[in-house]
Amino acid sequence: MIRERTLNGLVLVLLLAVPLWAMFNDQPFTITLATRAVIFALAAVGLNIALGLGGLVSLGHAAFFGIGGYAMGILAHHAQTYTPVMELPFLIEGTKSMPVIWLVAMVTSGIAAFLIGILSLRTAGVYFIMITLAFGQMFYFFSISWAAYGGEDGLLIYVRNDFPGLNTLVPINFFAICFTILCLVLLLNGLLARSPFGLALNAARQAPQRVQTVGLDPQRLKLVAFVISGVITGLAGALFADLNRFVSPTMFSWQMSGEIMIFIILGGNARLCGPVVGAVVFVMLEHFLGGLSEYWHIYLGALLLLVVFFARGGLVGLIAGREVAHD
Amino acid sequence: MSTILIIEQILNGLQSGIMLFLMAAGLTLIFGVMGLINLAHGSLYMIGAFAAAAVAGLTGSFVLALIAAMAAAAIAGVLVEMLVIRRLYATDHLDQVLATFALILIFSEGTRWVFGSFPLFLDIPDYLSGPVTLPGGIQYPFYRLVLICVGLLVAAGLGLLITRTRIGIQIRAGENDREMIAALGVDISKLYTLVFALGAALAGLAGALVGAIQSVQVGMGEPVLILAFVVIVIGGIGSIKGALIGALLVGLTDTLGGVFLPQLFKLFMEPSAAQSSGSALASMAIYILMGAVLIWRPTGLFGARP
């Protein structure tokens, strides 16, 4: 048994070491794989704020993942076709600049999370799971029938977007951007969990009545957590779209929501690095089992069942023991 | 747009609604009695369809195919309940979602492994195919009418089972207070297995019946599963009556929306834009309906008030 903090450090160092090794050995595919893991981890870290800290089981986070993806897709699509996004009431041009795209992705998914959160938080328990699922499906079907942006076929972006001062076409550079963002968000997540807001949120999940008694509004705490969560997952969506240079309705699908949730549970619910471990293990399984057998989903399913039965705290819980999350 | 078209579409909506009810009834019973979210219910639907297609291919008998569908789904349901689900009753929803998601992966890939990736076809038997003429001169496929009738019969039977029989009393008691009926000497674990098998058989039947008008393929269960969840959430989880009304609402909204919303938009938009925004709104309509119902009544139309 090692301490969770040591484990977190180890995971991040490993996650950095593998692509560096791949760079020196000229294996760009490994770097892409690692980037994919990092982006999935980011999406799951986002969901973990709602799920782990706030106890909000959202099966609709693909909505924010997809909104981020489409924010990138739409802006870059207009930039590459030299058409404005819209002209009325004021002119908005497309862009290939990553920071601008991220900002747009975060703001739009934040607004969406606010609206979805306000409506969904009226319900609780299994109804909450289902209503978030329904909102996710709404976006899914909307994107399918949105012919202006590719409908079912999605949008193809020819060249990866630009980041000031870096050539993003070099795989390791793009990995570095994603990895830096992941570390920053993890830092933010750690601080948030220990902040007065995080403590109040934790309490709101465990004993909403008591929180109400001391004069805090549990619903408002949960709403704020839901919005933060949506913003982070939206950012991950924009990065994911940039990694593939492709956006399609699949990013909105409920299987995507399920996968993001799987990362968390596989790694360890409410653990700081649980989502990271989960995403990395998932991407590795996808790669190696996928290479072994066409039917690798069977093994994945069996493994998930084992985790549910024998490793309730996820992989992090299995290794670092059942200490209380976030110290 | 003619009256005939409207009546046809209403019948189509009823037919898809009543098939959804077969799925939703099992799901809502399982959730109501055991408090379990079963994402793998769509897989049981798929198993039913595949079993029916396989048996129909071997024997050529549609009735045997339907029986095989129900039996295969029920057996799969019982196995799953005894091996996996039984360990999940005491856990929270999160674990249930994950474990049953895992079951979907196993069932889908397993079926692909056995039957291959190509869709199978289940033919409507001659004595059920062809159109019939309804009063008013409307031509309508006989098979779809049969589906509506079968669904209504099952709904009635289920209603009688729940309200009039001893098993029904135990199921309702189980929904209200598990510990109490266990204390009164009902073998709760046998009851759970029975409810699960019943729900699975209904899903298998729906899969086979619908499989005859669509193709039978891996992954056919998941879209229906999501719709069935929408249905039971609208109706209120645990309520058979809610499931029936929710299923009809969803079936009608989905079918009528898909046909009439684009037409409606054409009244004030140019045709191509109306077609695309109309069908966009139509595909979102049931989720908007569900959102609206939940905002109005957070536990569905007939759900227990907290």
Side-chain angles (χ1 to χ4, degrees), chain A residues 77-121:
Chain A
H77 171 73
H78 283 286
Q80 77 186 11
T81 54
Y82 303 102
T83 48
V85 178
M86 59 179 197
E87 293 176 78
L88 292 169
F90 41 85
L91 183 76
I92 298 181
E93 300 270 10
T95 176
K96 295 284 284 179
S97 159
M98 276 193 196
V100 178
I101 289 174
W102 296 344
L103 190 70
V104 172
M106 288 163 74
V107 170
T108 42
S109 47
I111 294 171
F114 178 74
L115 294 176
I116 293 178
I118 278 192
L119 297 176
S120 306
L121 281 167

Side-chain angles (χ1 to χ4, degrees), chain A residues 35-104:
Chain A
T35 316
R36 189 178 156 87
V38 165
I39 294 172
F40 277 155
L42 185 64
V45 168
L47 176 60
N48 200 23
I49 290 179
L51 184 69
L53 289 180
L56 302 169
V57 185
S58 160
L59 199 50
H61 256 53
F64 312 123
F65 198 62
I67 288 175
Y70 269 85
M72 175 281 185
I74 290 171
L75 287 173
H77 171 73
H78 283 286
Q80 77 186 11
T81 54
Y82 303 102
T83 48
V85 178
M86 59 179 197
E87 293 176 78
L88 292 169
F90 41 85
L91 183 76
I92 298 181
E93 300 270 10
T95 176
K96 295 284 284 179
S97 159
M98 276 193 196
V100 178
I101 289 174
W102 296 344
L103 190 70
V104 172

Side-chain angles (χ1 to χ4, degrees), chain B residues 5 24 32 39 57 70 73 81 96 136 150 171 194 212 218 248 266 273 282 291 296:
Chain B
L5 178 66
L39 293 184
M70 291 173 73
E81 201 274 342
Q96 298 173 351
V150 169
I171 289 175
L194 186 77
V218 173
L248 294 179
K266 274 181 193 149
W296 173 45

Side-chain angles (χ1 to χ4, degrees), chain A residues 21-326:
Chain A
W21 170 85
M23 181 181 69
F24 289 116
N25 289 282
D26 198 27
Q27 297 200 333
F29 183 69
T30 310
I31 304 181
T32 305
L33 218 55
T35 316
R36 189 178 156 87
V38 165
I39 294 172
F40 277 155
L42 185 64
V45 168
L47 176 60
N48 200 23
I49 290 179
L51 184 69
L53 289 180
L56 302 169
V57 185
S58 160
L59 199 50
H61 256 53
F64 312 123
F65 198 62
I67 288 175
Y70 269 85
M72 175 281 185
I74 290 171
L75 287 173
H77 171 73
H78 283 286
Q80 77 186 11
T81 54
Y82 303 102
T83 48
V85 178
M86 59 179 197
E87 293 176 78
L88 292 169
F90 41 85
L91 183 76
I92 298 181
E93 300 270 10
T95 176
K96 295 284 284 179
S97 159
M98 276 193 196
V100 178
I101 289 174
W102 296 344
L103 190 70
V104 172
M106 288 163 74
V107 170
T108 42
S109 47
I111 294 171
F114 178 74
L115 294 176
I116 293 178
I118 278 192
L119 297 176
S120 306
L121 281 167
R122 291 175 51 90
T123 63
V126 64
Y127 287 95
F128 183 83
I129 303 182
M130 292 306 144
I131 196 171
T132 48
L133 175 66
F135 278 116
Q137 290 295 102
M138 242 187 251
F139 280 98
Y140 176 68
F141 285 115
F142 182 75
S143 68
I144 281 188
S145 46
W146 202 9
Y149 293 116
E152 225 169 324
D153 300 328
L155 279 175
L156 199 64
I157 304 301
Y158 304 123
V159 183
R160 187 168 287 152
N161 296 307
D162 315 314
F163 189 83
L166 268 182
N167 179 2
T168 52
L169 294 175
V170 179
I172 196 77
N173 285 352
F174 187 60
F175 173 82
I177 293 174
C178 298
F179 188 73
T180 312
I181 293 180
L182 176 67
C183 289
L184 286 177
V185 168
L186 279 175
L187 185 71
L188 186 94
N189 187 356
L191 292 176
L192 191 78
R194 253 164 279 179
S195 69
F197 167 76
L199 297 176
L201 181 64
N202 220 336
R205 176 183 44 130
Q206 291 171 2
Q209 269 118 353
R210 290 193 191 181
V211 171
Q212 208 155 17
T213 319
V214 294
L216 293 167
D217 182 354
Q219 292 307 90
R220 182 173 299 178
L221 290 167
K222 287 179 182 170
L223 182 61
V224 174
F226 195 73
V227 171
I228 297 175
S229 164
V231 166
I232 297 175
T233 306
L235 176 60
L239 291 173
F240 189 67
D242 233 332
L243 174 71
N244 301 325
R245 279 165 283 167
F246 176 62
V247 209
S248 77
T250 328
M251 283 182 78
F252 279 120
S253 70
W254 77 280
Q255 281 90 346
M256 192 68 237
S257 299
E259 275 183 19
I260 301 178
M261 196 183 273
I262 284 179
F263 303 149
I264 294 182
I265 307 174
L266 193 62
N269 184 15
R271 306 290 188 130
L272 185 60
C273 274
V276 182
V277 175
V280 169
V281 170
F282 186 90
V283 169
M284 274 167 35
L285 284 176
E286 193 178 40
H287 181 62
F288 292 113
L289 286 181
L292 274 183
S293 155
E294 196 185 333
Y295 307 106
W296 72 281
H297 272 135
I298 294 188
Y299 305 110
L300 177 67
L303 189 83
L304 288 178
L305 280 183
L306 289 180
V307 169
V308 173
F309 290 152
F310 302 111
R312 281 277 153 77
L315 296 174
V316 173
L318 205 62
I319 298 169
R322 281 174 179 268
E323 56 185 323
V324 184
H326 304 300

Side-chain angles (χ1 to χ4, degrees), chain B residues 1 11 39 48-49 59 76 81 98 123 130 151 164 199 215 238 245 292 299 304:
Chain B
M1 145 185 356
L11 283 174
L39 293 184
T59 66
E81 201 274 342
L98 186 68
D123 292 326
R164 293 277 186 270
S215 63
I245 290 173
T299 53

